[in-house]
Structures are given as C-alpha cells and as structure tokens.
Amino acid sequence: MNLMPPKYVAILLSVLIVGLGCGYSIARLTIKPDTELPMEPNPAPKVESIATPSVAQISANLKDRDTLLRILSRVHDSTEGFEYTENQLKELQANPENKVYSKVLQKFVQARLNQEVTSFQTISDSVSPRSLLITTNDQHAYMVYMKKDYSHDGIWIVSGFMDYMPQENQINETYTSIPLAGAPGDVKEWVQALLKQPEWKKEYRTFGDRTYALIKSSSSFSDSVELEEVMNSAGEVYISYQSYQYPANSNIDLINDYLLLELKGPGIRDVIFQNTYSNFPLVEGKEPIPGDEGTISHLKDTIVLDQKFIELAAMGKIRGVEYGIGATEAEIVAKWGKPHEVGSRQVEFQRWYNYELYFWPPDQKIGAIRILGASVPYTLPQIKKSLGNPISETNGVDGIWSLMYQAGDYELYVNATTPTGQVESVMLKRKSS
C-alpha cells in the first residue's frame, strides 16, 4: 500500500498579525506621559534566565505562530520571575496608567528589554493572571506573565517572562517520511516485527545516530493513520497524528496502514506521540479494535437530558455518540461491528447495546435514533423539569405516554407507560413533512 503524503497545514502570518485575538496595535497606545514610573523597580529575579540563541538567520520562524506557540508552551526552564516590595507596589499604584495592562506591558518591554513591541497576543484562558506572546523589533519572541494586584487598586504587574527563540532545526526539516521498502535493513527488520502485531502501535527507536518513529494502525483493512505535525523542541520530538476508520469498500489510496518517519536534528532524547483527532473514540488513549467492548461501551452509558442535549439534537446528533442522523449503515458497521440485534418497528432497526438505529431506504442512512430506557434515568415529570414543557403530550393507542419536543428540523420523543412513569425510550427523528 502506498504511503499517503502527510497532512500538514502551515498557517503563515505576517509576524503574528498585530491585533489578532486579544492583541491590539501598540501604535494606537503609545502616548507616553511626561513622567513615568518605571515598571521594574529593581525586582529580584527568582530564576536565572537562559541565554537566547542567535536569531539572525531564523526570524522567519516568527511567521509560523501556531508552531511558535506550541514550542514556547513546552519550555519551562527559562522563566525569570519578579517580586515587588510594598513600597514599590505603592509607587506603581500612584500611576493610573498601571491599571491598563497593555501600557504596563509596553513599559516593561521598553525598560527591561530595551525593545519595542511589534505585536502581542493574550494566549491564556484567564484574564488575570494572563499570559501573552509578544514579538519585538529585534525579531525575538517572549512569553510575558502578568497579573492584577487587587490589594493595590487593581494595578497590573509583570510577574515573569520567558525569553526564547527556537533554533532553525526545531521547526524546519524535522523528519522525512519513508516507505518500508526504502528503510535501511535494521530499521526494516524492526518495523516488520511491529507490523505483524494486530493492535495499534506508536514506537520509536534509535539506530546509531539515526532515530525512527513508527505509527501503525490495527489489522483492520479500514483503519488509517495520517500525520499532522512533527516538531523538535530541545531534543524532544512531538508527533501529532490523526486516526481514521473508513467505510468498507473505500478507495484504498485513502488508507495508510502505517507511518514511518526518520527524525532529523541532533540530540533526540524522547519522542512523544499525540492523537489530535480520531473519528472513533479512544479507550484509555488506545485506538480500539472495531466492534469490541472498548469501541462501543459508551452506548451503555446514561445520558443527560438538558438544553445542551436539545442543541445537539437540533443538528441530528446525540451527545456522546459519533454517528447522527444521515450517517450510513456501512460506516457504522465498519466502526461498531455487527449489531447485537436486528428487528423491526414498522421500519427495520439494528441495535448496539442501548441504541437502536433505523436505516431508511433507499440509501440506508440513519433516519431515526432510539435510546432505550436503560440509558435514560428519568421520569416524565423530571424530563419536564429539565427540558421544560413539551410541544405536545399524548397518550397513544398502545398506552404509551409521549412528550414531544422540537429541536430544529428534528423531533424528540420521550416515552413512558404512564404520565408519571420511568422513561422507557427516547427517539430522535427528522420532523414529519
């Protein structure tokens, strides 16, 4: 089988596009007061900063914002922290400009780094403390850590910063993808032994001064592995990949049984594999064998009926289940294996644990999803309390009480044998025309 070229998307931006996300243009903020309190009144460093490598030849690396962020996020040994005395904090408190974090950031860069900010972007999830990625006019990148001091009128202070620029070989030419036939003899022997094993494998090995990494799928003909990114950070190689399971009879050229990579760069001491996406659920970080207990055990889990459930139902989906209305029978059987039961309720259904899927002809796509009561720990009154009043409430000829909720172009039916009884099933189907 031919090895498919790796999927890699490089987002090239002109030096961290000023104003992206939470960033702002410094040019619009640089109104310097006549008198200005220094932002760093001789703070005592807590950890010594590691010298920054020369960046004269690698300034282009700043353009790849995503890679730079990932590298910076993995460097933890070059942070310089600051502590302030009470007198220093009171002095800073006297200047109202120190309540504006962008001004504090600018003054810090000017006073401490003797540079000007060319762009900055908040990359933390929190407002305070916050982490910012900045670039300066000397083509350096820094992480700056800031926090609000609420005991001093909410001024912003710089609590630390990290000066770091990746070497060229940490971003460029980090690997070569090779077919098994093109591998050296000792590497080929190692790979062939792993390929004979039925389960997914992610391993690396060093042969003299050469390091190789292998990611292989299971023995299923429908499983595939695709490369996303390879990055070398100070001897630690991070390999991001995606795992797929294709429907039966898919184009064989889409399917990669394995990826074999020759890793570049000196001093490789560890390889970390990360599955960034899978179209089937992982069990304890391992890609499961299609149809086994690990692959479909989530179909026994209890569900939570709330507004989030309704939001997903409006898209034809059940929370926690990868296949929604419109998915084909072929792709589901390829992923979940053979159904536990095949039956009929006016339309034929196939059941996997607590889920019955109804495939409508002529294309055999899911037209309705029925969740059995074992996964629905509610009574009808509890459903009303959680989801609100239904569009309708009926007592059918078969003695089943049914609450009907509208979710976009779909209808959600919650059924029980009595108006206050335990839910026996929930059905999601496209709205009747």
Side-chain angles (χ1 to χ4, degrees):
M1 185 177 298
N2 293 329
L3 191 63
M4 184 179 177
K7 290 173 61 180
Y8 183 80
V9 181
I11 304 175
L12 294 178
L13 302 175
S14 61
V15 189
L16 289 173
I17 304 177
V18 178
L20 179 64
C22 297
Y24 301 88
S25 171
I26 288 295
R28 291 178 296 186
L29 299 174
T30 52
I31 303 174
K32 228 176 171 183
D34 294 334
T35 58
E36 187 176 89
L37 293 177
M39 257 319 294
E40 188 198 356
N42 301 318
K46 291 186 287 190
V47 182
E48 261 191 49
S49 175
I50 291 178
T52 304
S54 171
V55 298
Q57 298 83 23
I58 58 172
S59 61
N61 290 340
L62 288 175
K63 296 179 181 179
D64 190 343
R65 180 183 64 89
D66 286 353
T67 299
L68 182 58
L69 274 173
R70 282 190 288 270
I71 290 179
L72 284 167
S73 69
R74 293 177 176 133
V75 178
H76 306 290
D77 56 355
S78 57
T79 300
E80 186 171 327
F82 301 112
E83 294 178 346
Y84 299 83
T85 67
E86 181 63 24
N87 287 338
Q88 290 170 340
L89 291 171
K90 287 181 178 179
E91 188 179 4
L92 295 171
Q93 182 180 347
N95 187 342
E97 283 201 344
N98 290 331
K99 291 184 179 181
V100 181
Y101 84 89
S102 56
K103 292 183 179 293
V104 172
L105 175 66
Q106 181 191 3
K107 289 187 287 184
F108 169 79
V109 172
Q110 291 172 339
R112 177 63 175 84
L113 306 178
N114 297 315
Q115 295 295 327
E116 295 292 336
V117 175
T118 56
S119 69
F120 70 99
Q121 178 186 356
T122 297
I123 59 174
S124 58
D125 294 330
S126 61
V127 174
S128 177
R130 71 196 304 149
S131 304
L132 300 105
L133 173 63
I134 72 169
T135 58
T136 56
N137 58 345
D138 65 345
Q139 297 296 297
H140 274 59
Y142 298 87
M143 290 273 279
V144 178
Y145 306 98
M146 303 180 68
K147 64 181 180 181
K148 254 191 173 185
D149 188 336
Y150 293 99
S151 62
H152 292 86
D153 204 20
I155 61 171
W156 284 93
I157 60 175
V158 175
S159 57
F161 84 104
M162 181 170 64
D163 175 358
Y164 181 80
M165 176 56 61
Q167 299 287 352
E168 186 172 14
N169 63 12
Q170 291 178 315
I171 295 179
N172 302 317
E173 298 183 346
T174 53
Y175 72 98
T176 299
S177 180
I178 60 176
L180 181 59
D186 50 358
V187 177
K188 186 182 296 186
E189 184 178 347
W190 168 66
V191 173
Q192 286 174 331
L194 292 173
L195 291 179
K196 291 178 181 179
Q197 301 183 37
E199 66 272 14
W200 283 75
K201 290 287 185 180
K202 303 177 285 289
E203 296 191 13
Y204 76 97
R205 185 170 172 180
T206 298
F207 299 83
D209 59 352
R210 299 164 292 128
T211 300
Y212 293 83
L214 175 73
I215 308 172
K216 68 168 292 289
S217 67
S218 75
S219 56
S220 168
F221 291 112
S222 60
D223 282 352
S224 179
V225 55
E226 297 180 14
L227 188 65
E228 181 177 287
E229 181 189 38
V230 179
M231 187 175 64
N232 186 330
S233 177
E236 290 187 339
V237 178
Y238 295 82
I239 300 178
S240 302
Y241 70 98
Q242 301 179 2
S243 54
Y244 292 87
Q245 188 173 82
Y246 285 91
N249 303 319
S250 291
N251 183 346
I252 195 170
D253 292 333
L254 295 176
I255 299 173
N256 298 324
D257 287 335
Y258 68 92
L259 290 172
L260 176 59
L261 310 176
E262 181 178 353
L263 304 178
K264 307 292 186 179
I268 295 175
R269 51 190 173 83
D270 195 12
V271 177
I272 297 93
F273 299 92
Q274 181 182 15
N275 188 317
T276 58
Y277 174 80
S278 176
N279 71 345
F280 51 97
L282 304 183
V283 179
E284 296 180 354
K286 300 177 180 178
E287 292 83 352
I289 299 173
D292 72 359
E293 171 67 18
T295 307
I296 59 177
S297 61
H298 61 296
L299 301 179
K300 297 186 292 185
D301 295 344
T302 58
I303 62 173
V304 177
L305 285 167
D306 55 12
Q307 291 305 313
K308 181 64 176 178
F309 187 93
I310 292 293
E311 291 175 12
L312 288 171
M315 296 185 283
K317 298 179 180 180
I318 301 295
R319 180 164 58 189
V321 179
E322 56 270 40
Y323 296 112
I325 290 177
T328 66
E329 177 183 2
E331 62 183 313
I332 294 167
V333 172
K335 160 71 177 299
W336 290 356
K338 294 181 179 180
H340 298 134
E341 177 189 2
V342 176
S344 177
R345 300 178 192 268
Q346 298 180 332
V347 178
E348 182 180 285
F349 69 83
Q350 297 182 31
R351 180 182 63 81
W352 287 266
Y353 287 123
N354 295 328
Y355 284 75
E356 293 178 353
L357 305 184
Y358 294 76
F359 297 98
W360 290 353
D363 50 8
Q364 289 304 100
K365 292 183 178 180
I366 299 177
I369 302 173
R370 182 186 183 94
I371 311 171
L372 303 182
S375 288
V376 193
Y378 295 87
T379 62
L380 287 189
Q382 289 173 329
I383 292 292
K384 293 179 182 178
K385 185 175 181 181
S386 180
L387 300 183
N389 292 326
I391 298 296
S392 65
E393 182 173 357
T394 58
N395 182 9
V397 292
D398 53 1
I400 297 296
W401 283 84
S402 183
L403 309 181
M404 193 275 280
Y405 292 87
Q406 185 172 318
D409 293 331
Y410 301 89
E411 294 173 340
L412 184 72
Y413 293 88
V414 185
N415 308 306
T417 55
T418 68
T420 59
Q422 191 75 27
V423 172
E424 292 200 340
S425 67
V426 172
M427 176 172 279
L428 178 67
K429 60 188 284 289
R430 191 175 293 277
K431 198 185 307 180
S432 303
S433 56

